[in-house]
């Protein structure tokens, strides 16, 4: 049985300005399938190769697969749906399979707007996909699909979701197949070297209101650090990888295992061959400030910090549990350890003003990170924040949910002004860095890396891919009135998805009412007992023990 995996051709002007990122999902899914005996697997990277529909169709005609699978984050969902529609046209008998975080939580939306999607894999896919493909291979998929956990599909007009599958308990049991990827095309621009995105852990114990990772991965699990280093050693030796980014939301949460990971890299001499970067929280930097030298010795050169917002009020809104003063101190500590810092700011909340945007710039200058990013406030449609915002969400064109397009409109300015003020911050910050910092700070690796970062920004700016500026028609303050974000107003929430949300909200409301009723009962019982005690004392009783 032949399977074809396709990565959707979606581009935005965000993280990809630093390079072409290898789609790790392909390696992990294919590895699980090959371990189960399904080895006729092919991969089409439509994104990296910027393939048109005609080019993808040609490859599908050549391959004639039995199953076509793709994935989706929210902004790539329409590209993913289109790929599977194309597959139905070219190889109509092939089963079309969609996975990823968006489809997992928005399966009713997807199946309503894309009926050509045969089945959705909900949640972690490695074990579910094996059960699914095994059923297809044995010719029992249609009679057994309601028994396979973690699926969603349409059956005679009814959208069906089977019970959720368990999360993958033995992450070390997954053997990714990295050989499917075209490694010469995945380049990290700042160092001009091949890049990989392995993972050490899945899940997150924190519940930031704007994030979906803790919902998707559910429980937090950490791999054996030696097994992770085994994988990285393979990526370095077999595929020429010179830089990797741990895909974890926060790999430093488990201090003991992260320390073991660093020590294992050092023991094998890998820091001489590969450098790496992570995302983490300010609180972990503060906790581990005495260990930063070990991180750097292990080859860690880039830390992206979720400082999120300069105003503590915003940090509280996001449930970040950090303090503004700690952001500055964490950046200073990393700088002293010779680790490059990247400060991430979220902008565009409903209370955003030109003054608050200016405040984020002042903090960026005062904290002096090596890099700074201003990301547009983007509530994923399946997060608590999206539900809480209610009518404030006006745009349902999910292709624009990419952190560079202002989905939300602040009360005090229009979207074009918001974009212009953000670009004003970028221009000032990086102009100062380019003229007075990057060319002159340090020698050797530090200077090379900083100039490489500058090259990445310059390349994206020249091509006008940065922040999708070319697509929206932004050329500077003088073009603000002509900016067009091209929102597709025909995109709306499907009735089935809306009904699901309303039912969920009703369940939450009833649960809250039950909880409040229990609290009232406990309070009433305490009041009743207190009244009885008062009555007893009034009748000559006492609440004190008699002396012997």
């Amino acid at each position: 049985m032949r399977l074809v995996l396709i990565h959707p051709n979606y581009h935005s002007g965000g993280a990809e300005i630093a390079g072409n990122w290898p789609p790790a999902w392909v390696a992990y899914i294919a590895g699980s399938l090959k371990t189960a005996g399904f080895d006729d697997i092919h991969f089409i990277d439509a994104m990296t190769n910027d393939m048109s529909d005609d080019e993808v169709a040609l490859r599908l005609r050549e391959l004639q697969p039995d199953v076509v699978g793709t994935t989706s984050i929210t902004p790539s969902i329409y590209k993913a749906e289109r790929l599977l529609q194309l597959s139905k046209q070219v190889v109509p008998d092939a089963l079309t399979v969609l996975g990823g975080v968006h489809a997992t939580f928005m399966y009713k939306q997807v199946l309503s707007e894309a009926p050509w999607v045969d089945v959705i894999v909900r949640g972690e896919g490695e074990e579910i996909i094996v059960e699914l493909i095994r059923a297809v291979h044995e010719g029992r998929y249609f009679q057994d699909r309601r028994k396979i956990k973690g699926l969603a599909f349409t059956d005679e007009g009814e959208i069906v979701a089977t019970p959720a599958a368990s999360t993958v308990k033995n992450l070390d049991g997954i053997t990714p197949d990295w050989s499917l990827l075209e490694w010469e095309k995945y380049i990290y621009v700042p160092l001009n070297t091949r890049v990989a995105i392995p993972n050490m852990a899945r899940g997150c114990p924190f519940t930031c209101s704007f994030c979906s990772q803790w919902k998707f991965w559910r429980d937090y699990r950490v791999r054996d650090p030696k097994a992770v280093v085994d994988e990285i050693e393979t990526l370095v030796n077999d595929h020429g990888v010179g830089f990797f980014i741990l895909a974890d939301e926060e790999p430093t949460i488990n201090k003991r295992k992260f320390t073991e990971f660093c020590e294992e890299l050092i023991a094998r001499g890998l820091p001489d061959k590969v450098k790496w970067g992570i995302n983490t929280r300010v609180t972990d930097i503060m906790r581990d400030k005495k260990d930063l030298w070990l991180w750097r010795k292990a080859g860690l050169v880039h830390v992206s910090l979720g400082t999120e917002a300069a105003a503590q009020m915003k940090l509280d809104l996001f449930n970040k549990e950090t303090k503004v003063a700690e952001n500055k101190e964490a950046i200073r500590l990393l700088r002293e350890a010779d680790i490059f810092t990247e400060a991430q700011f979220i902008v565009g909340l409903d209370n955003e003003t030109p003054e608050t945007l200016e405040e984020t710039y002042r903090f960026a200058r005062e904290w002096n990170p090596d890099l700074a990013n201003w990301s547009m406030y983007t509530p994923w449609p399946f997060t608590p924040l999206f539900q809480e915002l209610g009518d404030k969400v006006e745009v349902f064109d999910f292709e624009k949910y990419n952190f560079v397009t202002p989905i939300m409109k602040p009360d005090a300015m229009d979207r074009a002004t918001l974009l212009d003020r953000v670009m004003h911050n970028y221009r000032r910050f990086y102009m100062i860095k380019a003229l007075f910092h990057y060319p002159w700070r340090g020698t050797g690796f530090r200077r090379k890396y900083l100039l490489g970062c500058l090259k990445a920004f310059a390349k994206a700016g020249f091509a006008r891919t940065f922040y999708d500026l070319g697509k929206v028609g932004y050329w500077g303050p003088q073009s603000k009135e002509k900016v067009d974000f091209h929102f597709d107003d025909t995109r709306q929430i499907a009735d089935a998805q809306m009904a699901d949300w309303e039912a969920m909200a009703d369940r939450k409301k009833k649960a809250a009412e039950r909880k409040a009723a229990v609290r009232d009962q406990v309070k009433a019982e305490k009041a009743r007992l207190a009244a009885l005690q008062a009555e007893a004392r009034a009748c000559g009783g006492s609440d004190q023990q008699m002396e012997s």
Side-chain angles (χ1 to χ4, degrees):
M1 188 171 67
R2 176 165 290 179
L3 298 93
V4 171
L5 304 176
I6 312 177
H7 194 64
N9 186 15
Y10 177 81
H11 296 270
S12 68
E16 65 188 271
I17 67 170
N20 294 323
W21 308 110
W25 70 274
V26 172
Y28 288 102
I29 292 295
S32 295
L33 287 167
K34 288 190 174 182
T35 299
F38 301 101
D39 55 9
D40 190 359
I41 303 174
H42 301 261
F43 174 48
I44 301 172
D45 192 344
M47 179 178 178
T48 298
N49 294 305
D50 196 21
M51 296 175 68
S52 66
D53 283 357
D54 288 343
E55 291 173 306
V56 173
L58 179 61
R59 288 288 291 137
L60 287 171
R61 287 192 187 94
E62 292 171 351
L63 292 168
Q64 288 296 306
D66 300 292
V67 177
V68 178
T70 188
T71 189
S72 64
I73 55 176
T74 294
S76 69
I77 184 60
Y78 304 140
K79 298 292 186 183
E81 290 174 355
R82 173 58 185 152
L83 280 177
L84 297 186
Q85 184 182 34
L86 187 67
S87 300
K88 277 298 182 189
Q89 294 169 354
V90 177
V91 279
D93 294 332
L95 186 77
T96 54
V97 184
L98 176 62
V101 62
H102 184 92
T104 291
F105 295 113
M106 301 286 286
Y107 64 90
K108 290 191 175 182
Q109 176 78 24
V110 172
L111 292 173
S112 296
E113 67 191 10
W116 51 84
V117 176
D118 289 326
V119 60
I120 288 172
V121 171
R122 296 164 43 238
E124 290 177 277
E126 288 90 352
E127 294 178 347
I128 302 171
I129 194 70
V130 169
E131 292 301 312
L132 170 63
I133 298 304
R134 188 174 285 138
V136 174
H137 179 64
E138 295 171 1
R140 55 181 176 80
Y141 166 68
F142 286 102
Q143 57 264 40
D144 285 357
R145 59 182 175 172
R146 288 178 180 256
K147 301 176 184 177
I148 302 173
K149 292 183 177 181
L151 300 183
F153 49 84
T154 302
D155 186 7
E156 296 184 354
E158 175 194 6
I159 295 177
V160 177
T162 64
S166 171
T167 55
V168 178
K169 301 306 180 186
N170 181 21
L171 293 178
D172 294 321
I174 300 173
T175 304
D177 180 11
W178 294 107
S179 67
L180 284 173
L181 277 61
E182 303 172 79
W183 283 104
E184 71 280 2
K185 296 179 180 179
Y186 306 114
I187 301 298
Y188 185 60
V189 174
L191 292 177
N192 192 31
T193 189
R194 296 184 184 183
V195 61
I197 312 180
N199 73 300
M200 189 167 81
R202 290 185 181 179
C204 182
F206 301 102
T207 57
C208 295
S209 60
F210 57 85
C211 184
S212 62
Q213 293 301 311
W214 59 275
K215 290 185 65 178
F216 182 79
W217 302 110
R218 292 185 283 174
D219 51 315
Y220 178 66
R221 294 144 288 149
V222 187
R223 297 172 60 190
D224 177 357
K226 290 187 177 181
V228 182
V229 177
D230 287 341
E231 186 176 327
I232 289 166
E233 200 165 32
T234 297
L235 288 166
V236 172
N237 295 335
D238 295 355
H239 303 294
V241 168
F243 189 83
F244 69 86
I245 299 173
L246 287 178
D248 312 27
E249 285 300 295
E250 187 187 351
T252 55
I253 292 175
N254 189 315
K255 179 177 180 176
R256 179 179 62 82
K257 289 203 171 184
F258 188 74
T259 299
E260 289 177 11
F261 173 70
C262 291
E263 291 172 341
E264 189 68 22
L265 287 169
I266 294 169
R268 300 193 199 185
L270 284 170
D272 294 331
K273 301 177 182 179
V274 63
K275 306 302 180 191
W276 50 291
I278 62 171
N279 298 289
T280 194
R281 291 167 59 95
V282 167
T283 50
D284 285 11
I285 302 299
M286 302 298 293
R287 181 198 68 194
D288 298 339
K289 56 186 175 183
K290 293 182 179 179
D291 300 319
L292 298 182
W293 66 272
L294 177 67
W295 298 8
R296 183 62 182 86
K297 186 178 180 181
L300 176 62
V301 298
H302 190 134
V303 171
S304 178
L305 289 172
T307 51
E308 311 302 4
Q312 187 63 47
M313 175 180 62
K314 295 179 185 177
L315 290 175
D316 293 340
L317 172 64
F318 293 144
N319 299 330
K320 287 296 294 185
E321 302 172 11
T322 59
K323 304 298 181 184
V324 168
E326 292 177 348
N327 296 330
K328 180 179 180 179
E329 178 64 7
I331 290 170
R332 184 190 68 80
L333 290 168
L334 288 167
R335 186 187 307 115
E336 288 185 353
D338 196 29
I339 298 173
F340 302 103
T341 56
E342 180 178 1
Q344 301 279 356
F345 296 98
I346 289 181
V347 296
L349 282 77
D350 55 354
N351 63 341
E352 195 77 77
T353 65
E355 290 74 26
T356 59
L357 285 170
E358 182 67 22
E359 183 183 19
T360 65
Y361 173 74
R362 288 199 304 269
F363 272 105
R365 291 290 300 121
E366 180 186 344
W367 298 347
N368 196 27
D370 297 293
L371 302 163
N373 280 318
W374 284 266
S375 298
M376 293 294 182
Y377 177 49
T378 306
W380 296 122
F382 33 79
T383 59
L385 193 59
F386 190 91
Q387 306 294 329
E388 292 165 12
L389 288 168
D391 294 340
K392 291 183 179 180
V393 182
E394 303 170 334
V395 176
F396 302 103
D397 181 358
F398 293 135
E399 191 167 66
K400 303 298 193 300
Y401 280 53
N402 50 25
F403 292 106
V404 302
T405 304
I407 296 300
M408 304 300 294
K409 178 191 171 300
D411 295 334
M413 65 179 99
D414 58 31
R415 291 181 174 87
T417 301
L418 171 60
L419 175 64
D420 180 58
R421 292 296 86 195
V422 168
M423 289 302 107
H424 185 50
N425 283 356
Y426 272 112
R427 283 191 296 266
R428 292 181 292 170
F429 183 85
Y430 284 102
M431 183 66 71
I432 292 172
K433 290 292 185 183
L435 293 176
F436 303 110
H437 290 259
Y438 292 170
W440 321 111
R441 296 299 173 95
T443 58
F445 181 80
R446 168 164 281 275
R447 186 169 183 271
K448 174 185 176 183
Y449 192 85
L450 290 173
L451 290 176
C453 291
L454 183 61
K455 176 185 176 182
F457 275 102
K459 181 180 178 182
F462 182 78
R464 296 189 50 69
T465 55
F466 178 67
Y467 238 78
D468 269 356
L469 297 181
K471 293 180 183 178
V472 303
Y474 178 85
W475 292 89
Q478 72 281 1
S479 64
K480 187 176 64 173
E481 302 303 323
K482 297 180 180 179
V483 166
D484 185 352
F485 295 106
H486 305 288
F487 293 127
D488 184 348
D489 295 332
T490 66
R491 299 284 187 181
Q492 296 294 323
I493 302 299
D495 291 341
Q497 187 67 57
M498 188 65 74
D500 191 47
W501 284 349
E502 290 172 351
M504 187 183 304
D506 187 53
R507 288 194 296 271
K508 287 183 178 179
K509 180 181 177 182
K510 288 181 179 178
E513 289 173 349
R514 287 195 297 270
K515 191 178 294 185
V518 170
R519 283 198 301 267
D520 290 343
Q521 287 175 0
V522 171
K523 192 180 296 184
E525 181 63 15
K526 286 181 178 179
R528 186 183 70 82
L529 291 174
L532 288 174
Q533 289 174 352
E535 183 179 348
R537 286 194 294 271
C539 295
S542 173
D543 58 1
Q544 301 294 320
Q545 290 185 338
M546 293 180 64
E547 294 183 5
S548 57

